[in-house]
Amino acid sequence: MAIGNANVARYLALAAETAPDAPAVKLPHRREGELRFDAVSFGQLKACVRVAAAHLRARGIDRGTRVLLMVKPGFDLIVTVFALFKLGAVPVVIDPGMGWGHFRACVRQSKPEALVGIPAATWLSPLLLRGYRFRSKITVGSRSWRTLLAGALSGAKETGRSADAQVAVAAPSDLAAILFTSGSTGPAKGVRYEHGMFEAQVRLLKNQYRVEPGEVDLTLLPVFALFNPALGMCTVVPEMDPSRPAAADPAKIVEAIQKAGVTNSFGSPALWSLIARYCEREGKTLPSVRRIQMAGAPVPPGLIRRMKPLLPAGEINTPYGATEALPVATISGREVLEETQPLTDEGRGTCVGAVFPEMQARIIRLTDEPLAQMSDALCLPPGEIGEITVCGPSVTRSYEARPDATAAAKLSDPADPAKIWHRMGDLGYFDERGRLWFCGRKAERVRTAQGDLYTDCCEAIFNRQPDVYRSALIGLGQPGKQVPAIVIEPEPGKFPSTPSARQAFEKKILAVAATHPVTSPVKRVFFEQRFPVDVRHNAKIHRLTLAKKFSKAL
């Protein structure tokens, strides 16, 4: 392996050299209803990646080839991604849950030359993508693919350094992948990831959470499973539909955690809420778990409180970041419950904690206009709410073929031309101890004639009320003259079914609003059976969709 190679695929070769027989992936299957696992070692995984890379190269994929990935999360995805990295190819990852119209727009924007996908994707691509032409299409999961991997799994162990030189040499600034955002508050954008950024992410996560080789991970946000071979962790593939995490069966997830001895798990608040309810109902705990990470949406302190007794030997962390900049900050569940929850309950926002080492964050004045350069004049003092802006080795520099979006989100640093600051599109502030607080998305703030209201600050007041599962602050009318309203999603079975029940529920919510300064401007209440949420985490509320729906009430 060449000195100075920043290609993240090299981590798999190192893991296979250090612990070739250690399990890298555990694949679930059931026999007469009993959950069992087939284990694939790091040596076997390396062998699978080697033969997959050779197969892809024979089909015309090589260094720099852009490859649209349409592979379901699991073993095939891990093998395919590392094979592409090994070749120096560039995976293009787009969430099909955003809808085929948006998906096609992302394909045209990123211009992939090849398609690697499950049989349905390769067969139906002419119809789904309306004639978009690929130079080559490779089917993953077909009989020939299974035969290919079976040969690798049954062959000689991959040990030593014999295959290291086959990992394409990549500079830290070389393009590694294009990962599209979920498009929760605007059009999905292709984020250009460089190899050095992936390497920084691995380093930051490993050091912050003290991840050790040999740990076992059940990743409920599939993209994070791709870090595991680089971290030396075994990946347990969950029994769930990754496109619908909130619809997962918590019984199967808990069973997998207990039987596989899972020590680490990463999932959205919506999914951990399902797991907490199930464990409470069934009297189960998760004694093997050392740490869980909740991310993808603000984490209610009440969920942390519910999860804590289920983890007798574990800690809860809530990392903060975005596709364009991950990780940025983190806070432990202990700190939330002991220190920051009372402030969240008062409408001060959600504390996302201390900024990661090597990362920097600043709060800049609130504007929707592009900003060319970072400057001290833009920055706000502690306690003042503005836009969170970050810089560091894992912060991406641009969007694919979207100079307008890049200009709107990126700032240069006149003090250091190598630095790029990313505007998170999130509102927040620093407290007197230097901790970062999140107040809501900039695009979702409610702009009234008397001033702005922030979603996370207001919703925390309503979310504490009995019978309220979650709430969404929305603005009705034109920005600057909006009428603030709160939409309530009641707890299951608590939706008001009669006019009198609705009136009583509404009266209770308005009484709560009137008692808090941050919510006192709210005079309208609506109810929704189930909120529209993002497809990736099933946790981010589509407040702008709700605002459009209820604006008809004005």
Side-chain angles (χ1 to χ4, degrees):
M1 182 162 47
I3 296 175
N5 190 0
N7 192 327
V8 73
R10 76 188 193 280
Y11 283 110
L12 176 57
L14 292 172
E17 177 187 350
T18 304
D21 297 321
V25 183
K26 289 187 176 181
L27 305 170
H29 66 92
R30 291 187 177 271
R31 182 177 299 172
E32 298 179 351
E34 182 182 354
L35 177 63
R36 303 186 182 189
F37 294 99
D38 292 326
V40 177
S41 71
F42 278 103
Q44 290 174 313
L45 178 59
K46 181 183 173 185
C48 288
V49 168
R50 175 179 56 78
V51 298
H55 178 67
L56 295 173
R57 175 177 281 141
R59 300 294 302 274
I61 295 176
D62 214 327
R63 178 187 293 274
T65 305
R66 295 189 177 196
V67 180
L68 177 62
L69 269 182
M70 297 185 73
V71 181
K72 291 181 178 180
F75 182 66
D76 284 337
L77 181 62
I78 294 171
V79 169
T80 304
V81 168
F82 271 86
L84 291 172
F85 283 156
K86 184 181 179 73
L87 295 172
V90 179
V92 177
V93 182
I94 309 170
D95 197 328
M98 67 176 62
W100 288 112
H102 296 297
F103 190 93
R104 284 191 289 269
C106 293
V107 170
R108 289 192 294 269
Q109 181 181 316
S110 54
K111 296 181 172 59
E113 304 155 85
L115 167 64
V116 175
I118 60 174
T122 54
W123 296 339
L124 297 175
S125 61
L127 175 64
L128 298 175
L129 300 177
R130 292 186 179 171
Y132 186 91
R133 294 184 178 277
F134 296 99
R135 192 174 68 200
S136 59
K137 293 193 288 188
I138 299 95
T139 301
V140 167
S142 63
R143 182 177 298 179
S144 60
W145 175 265
R146 294 285 174 229
T147 301
L148 187 77
L149 296 191
L153 289 170
S154 62
K157 295 179 181 178
E158 285 277 321
T159 59
R161 298 180 178 271
S162 59
D164 287 356
Q166 298 174 16
V167 175
V169 176
S173 60
D174 285 349
L175 182 63
I178 299 173
L179 309 180
F180 275 81
T181 62
S182 62
S184 297
T185 54
K189 300 179 288 290
V191 180
R192 291 172 58 88
Y193 259 88
E194 300 167 2
H195 280 277
M197 296 167 185
F198 280 132
E199 185 166 31
Q201 287 179 329
V202 170
R203 180 175 68 249
L204 291 169
L205 293 169
K206 181 178 182 179
N207 293 341
Q208 178 66 37
Y209 298 125
R210 300 186 295 277
V211 176
E212 299 176 359
E215 290 201 46
V216 181
D217 176 72
L218 181 74
T219 302
L220 304 173
L221 290 176
V223 68
F224 287 94
L226 301 177
F227 287 114
N228 289 343
L231 293 168
M233 281 202 294
C234 173
T235 299
V236 177
V237 176
E239 293 181 288
M240 61 179 281
D241 180 353
S243 67
R244 300 175 63 229
D249 183 348
K252 290 183 177 180
I253 293 173
V254 170
E255 184 182 11
I257 291 173
Q258 293 176 333
K259 287 199 171 184
V262 168
T263 63
N264 184 82
S265 190
F266 203 124
S268 75
L271 193 42
W272 286 118
S273 181
L274 283 177
I275 294 168
R277 290 168 187 250
Y278 170 77
C279 287
E280 290 169 347
R281 187 171 64 248
E282 301 296 326
K284 294 181 180 292
T285 61
L286 308 173
S288 67
V289 176
R290 300 182 192 176
R291 74 188 76 76
I292 65 171
Q293 286 85 29
M294 298 184 188
V299 179
L303 175 57
I304 296 174
R305 189 175 298 279
R306 296 177 72 179
M307 283 296 302
K308 195 166 182 58
L310 308 179
L311 304 171
E315 179 59 278
I316 300 165
N317 302 290
T318 62
Y320 167 72
T323 306
E324 300 93 332
L326 181 77
V328 171
T330 186
I331 188 170
S332 71
R334 183 183 300 109
E335 187 173 356
V336 169
L337 297 180
E338 294 177 359
E339 300 182 24
T340 69
Q341 179 178 357
L343 298 175
T344 296
D345 291 345
E346 293 172 8
R348 295 280 298 275
T350 298
C351 186
V352 295
V355 175
F356 272 77
E358 302 185 52
M359 301 295 289
Q360 295 175 267
R362 293 182 179 180
I363 306 299
I364 63 172
R365 59 178 172 82
L366 183 54
T367 176
D368 294 313
E369 299 301 317
L371 297 168
Q373 290 186 333
M374 175 59 72
S375 69
D376 292 340
L378 289 174
C379 299
L380 299 177
E384 289 195 30
I385 296 174
E387 184 173 4
I388 301 171
T389 311
V390 301
C391 179
S394 63
V395 173
T396 56
R397 304 178 66 85
S398 64
Y399 296 107
E400 174 64 23
R402 287 289 305 274
D404 57 332
T406 298
K410 308 295 181 180
L411 294 82
S412 64
D413 191 326
D416 185 350
K419 282 186 176 180
I420 288 290
W421 290 85
H422 174 71
R423 299 169 67 177
M424 295 289 286
D426 291 338
L427 303 177
Y429 63 93
F430 280 110
D431 65 15
E432 68 282 354
R433 291 173 51 181
R435 296 179 300 194
L436 185 61
W437 290 71
F438 170 82
C439 296
R441 292 288 292 167
K442 182 172 69 172
E444 294 175 336
R445 73 191 190 276
V446 175
R447 304 172 66 183
T448 75
Q450 291 73 41
D452 290 351
L453 301 180
Y454 309 116
T455 57
D456 208 62
C457 300
C458 292
E459 291 164 7
I461 305 297
F462 300 106
N463 291 344
R464 295 169 53 206
Q465 306 312 309
D467 300 339
V468 174
Y469 174 56
R470 54 186 169 184
S471 62
L473 179 74
I474 61 173
L476 309 177
Q478 293 299 314
K481 299 180 180 180
Q482 288 181 319
V483 175
I486 195 74
V487 186
I488 302 296
E489 180 182 338
E491 289 279 3
K494 299 297 183 178
F495 193 89
S497 57
T498 65
S500 60
R502 180 182 291 263
Q503 187 176 20
F505 205 154
E506 180 179 337
K507 184 177 179 180
K508 181 173 65 173
I509 293 298
L510 289 176
V512 169
T515 61
H516 295 270
V518 297
T519 55
S520 59
V522 176
K523 308 294 184 185
R524 303 292 298 272
V525 180
F526 301 101
F527 296 95
E528 186 80 346
Q529 287 276 10
R530 183 173 296 176
F531 282 169
V533 293
D534 69 297
V535 295
R536 185 167 298 171
H537 308 293
N538 285 185
K540 293 180 182 177
I541 302 167
H542 284 308
R543 295 174 182 84
L544 300 181
T545 300
L546 290 171
K548 184 176 180 180
K549 174 179 178 177
F550 290 109
S551 287
K552 300 173 185 177
L554 278 184

